[in-house]
Amino acid sequence: MKNKLEVNEVSPKEWFSLNQFLHEVKEIDSECISVYYPYGKGEQIISLLEETKRKESLEKIESAIEKRIKELRKNPSSVGKFTKTLCIFGWLRNGKVKILEIGTSKKLPYIYMASKKPHIKPFHDILKTNYKVLVVTIDQKSAKIQKFFGNQVIQESKLRIDLQGRHKKGGQSQGRFLRARQTKIHVFFKKVAVKVREMNSSSEIILLGGNGNAKTEFYDHLDSELAKKCQYVENLSFSTTINELEKKIIHCLYQKRRKFVADIISKYDEILKDGLTAKRNDVIYKALEAGAVDTLIVSIDYHRNIQFKKIIKMLEIAQNTGAKIEFAASPKILEKLEINNSVLAILRYKIR
């Protein structure tokens, strides 16, 4: 039976499709309009597009997006079983408007912003495409190290030694054989550990698995920096298919995401005591304009707030000033932070 944590995860099929879509979006190298809206709320986003005044080039893009939203009302696209959120990106190439769109079964925050690059943070939150993951599958004579970025293997290495399994003779000969065999395994594990360190650059998680006790024996050969990143993975072997491996990666990244959010919550009282938070939207707005905001935490349901349009602008300023944006969905987190469908800012420094 699936637990509550697993239910919220993207299915591997949808995860793959969204990753492929994002590879295209990342190729956009010019000013872009990013729009995310709940299915059925197309009229609301069109109204927002029409009343917001932009420069001529962006108005041209927005007109094309408005037309596309009207077309999608009758035939929404989705890579999941149901369409919960539609995402549209528009930009100019050689004077012509280009549009990329996708529908997802996941609930994503309401977004409308113009920025130098597409705003894809909500996809990162559900897909973890901005994480590099090292997967180490090992037994006493073989090792496979794979480096993933999103759903792509960007580097792979295989190591192997010849290792005799048994020694027929007994006595001292048997003892010497076992000591020599263990020394050979020890040297092999050290060699694999060196390779893991070489490939580890910028990897956030190291997933370690394999049949037998080799993975736990190998773990002892990792230095403290690598060991901190390590996480054991059950039922991982050399015969594990890429689809099954993707499922394991997705699940582990979701666990990391939850820990990240939990860490913010655990530090909240200390940040509050130091005067490094802001809750009033007018104060946050000014802090954003001054570049004083480190992290903007926004309720995923902020579009229900009466200051919805002001928050939309705040998100755009955050995107264009380098502030981190985090969307909160957990009722416990929203209650703890007292966000109430609105916004909380963690500041870089105290403001007056």
Side-chain angles (χ1 to χ4, degrees):
M1 182 174 69
K2 289 187 176 181
N3 59 38
K4 291 182 180 179
L5 298 182
E6 292 171 330
V7 168
N8 292 326
E9 297 179 9
V10 178
S11 70
K13 182 179 179 181
E14 184 172 0
W15 189 80
F16 180 81
S17 298
L18 291 173
N19 266 289
Q20 293 298 105
F21 174 77
L22 280 187
H23 288 314
E24 296 182 62
V25 174
K26 289 175 183 177
E27 295 298 316
I28 300 173
D29 58 358
S30 60
E31 199 168 21
C32 181
I33 298 289
S34 306
V35 172
Y36 298 62
Y37 66 96
Y39 176 54
K41 297 293 183 180
E43 289 298 329
Q44 186 181 27
I45 196 70
I46 287 175
S47 175
L48 192 59
L49 287 162
E50 289 176 340
E51 68 182 53
T52 305
K53 300 304 177 184
R54 305 275 192 185
K55 61 184 181 182
E56 185 178 347
S57 59
L58 294 180
E59 291 282 356
K60 185 177 181 180
I61 297 170
E62 291 188 346
S63 295
I65 290 176
E66 291 169 21
K67 180 180 178 182
R68 187 59 188 143
I69 290 173
K70 291 174 182 177
E71 294 170 349
L72 288 171
R73 281 186 298 188
K74 295 182 179 179
N75 186 28
S77 58
S78 181
V79 292
K81 291 183 178 180
F82 305 100
T83 306
K84 283 191 177 179
T85 308
L86 287 161
C87 314
I88 304 176
F89 301 90
W91 72 103
L92 287 176
R93 181 186 295 165
N94 299 325
K96 293 184 178 180
V97 177
K98 296 292 182 180
I99 298 286
L100 274 177
E101 69 190 53
I102 199 164
T104 173
S105 66
K106 305 307 294 180
K107 180 181 178 181
L108 300 182
Y110 206 122
I111 297 290
Y112 161 49
M113 66 170 64
S115 51
K116 295 179 181 178
K117 293 183 178 180
H119 181 70
I120 55 178
K121 176 64 165 56
F123 284 101
H124 284 169
D125 288 346
I126 64 170
L127 300 177
K128 315 297 174 261
T129 52
N130 55 335
Y131 284 114
K132 289 187 176 72
V133 178
L134 214 60
V135 180
V136 181
T137 311
I138 193 166
D139 60 22
Q140 291 184 331
K141 59 182 179 181
S142 305
K144 180 166 66 174
I145 310 167
Q146 297 166 289
K147 189 171 188 176
F148 283 81
F149 186 67
N151 67 322
Q152 291 188 324
V153 178
I154 59 174
Q155 191 178 356
E156 182 173 295
S157 180
K158 295 180 180 179
L159 297 90
R160 183 178 176 83
I161 57 171
D162 292 325
L163 191 67
Q164 187 177 339
R166 294 182 179 181
H167 190 277
K168 295 181 180 179
K169 297 180 180 180
Q172 293 182 347
S173 178
Q174 174 74 3
R176 286 195 299 272
F177 169 78
L178 291 175
R179 288 192 295 273
R181 186 177 188 275
Q182 195 58 42
T183 299
K184 195 170 185 179
I185 293 170
H186 173 77
V187 172
F188 174 63
F189 284 168
K190 287 185 67 175
K191 184 178 179 181
V192 176
V194 169
K195 193 65 180 179
V196 168
R197 168 157 287 285
E198 290 175 1
M199 294 176 62
N200 173 62
S201 175
S202 71
S203 294
E204 285 84 3
I205 301 178
I206 300 173
L207 303 184
L208 181 57
N211 295 327
N213 297 323
K215 55 181 176 290
T216 53
E217 294 174 12
F218 170 70
Y219 177 85
D220 293 334
H221 290 75
L222 297 173
D223 60 37
S224 58
E225 180 185 342
L226 295 178
K228 287 178 182 177
K229 294 184 178 182
C230 241
Q231 183 174 332
Y232 289 117
V233 181
E234 296 299 323
N235 302 316
L236 175 63
S237 68
F238 294 104
S239 61
T240 300
T241 65
I242 192 68
N243 287 338
E244 288 299 316
L245 184 53
E246 284 177 356
K247 290 180 184 178
K248 296 179 186 299
I249 291 173
I250 294 170
H251 183 66
C252 290
L253 287 173
Y254 267 87
Q255 290 178 323
K256 180 178 176 65
R257 170 69 182 170
R258 291 186 191 97
K259 185 179 183 301
F260 171 77
V261 175
D263 287 344
I264 290 179
I265 304 306
S266 67
K267 296 175 183 176
Y268 176 69
D269 290 335
E270 181 180 344
I271 295 170
L272 181 64
K273 183 179 178 181
D274 292 340
L276 293 176
T277 64
K279 288 187 176 180
R280 287 172 44 197
N281 287 346
D282 57 339
V283 174
I284 295 173
Y285 198 97
K286 290 179 181 178
L288 282 165
E289 290 185 316
V293 175
D294 176 79
T295 304
L296 196 66
I297 303 176
V298 187
S299 164
I300 199 169
D301 292 322
Y302 78 92
H303 60 279
R304 298 176 182 173
N305 188 280
I306 58 173
Q307 295 194 31
F308 160 64
K309 292 179 181 178
K310 187 170 187 176
I311 297 172
I312 280 277
K313 293 178 181 178
M314 290 161 67
L315 287 167
E316 184 168 302
I317 296 172
Q319 170 74 8
N320 290 314
T321 56
K324 296 186 286 291
I325 300 173
E326 296 294 338
F327 292 100
S330 166
K332 289 184 179 180
I333 292 174
L334 295 173
E335 182 180 357
K336 168 69 176 177
L337 301 182
E338 299 177 355
I339 293 179
N340 298 325
N341 297 331
S342 189
V343 180
L344 170 74
I346 296 175
L347 306 175
R348 293 190 174 101
Y349 50 84
K350 291 183 181 181
I351 56 175
R352 294 181 180 178

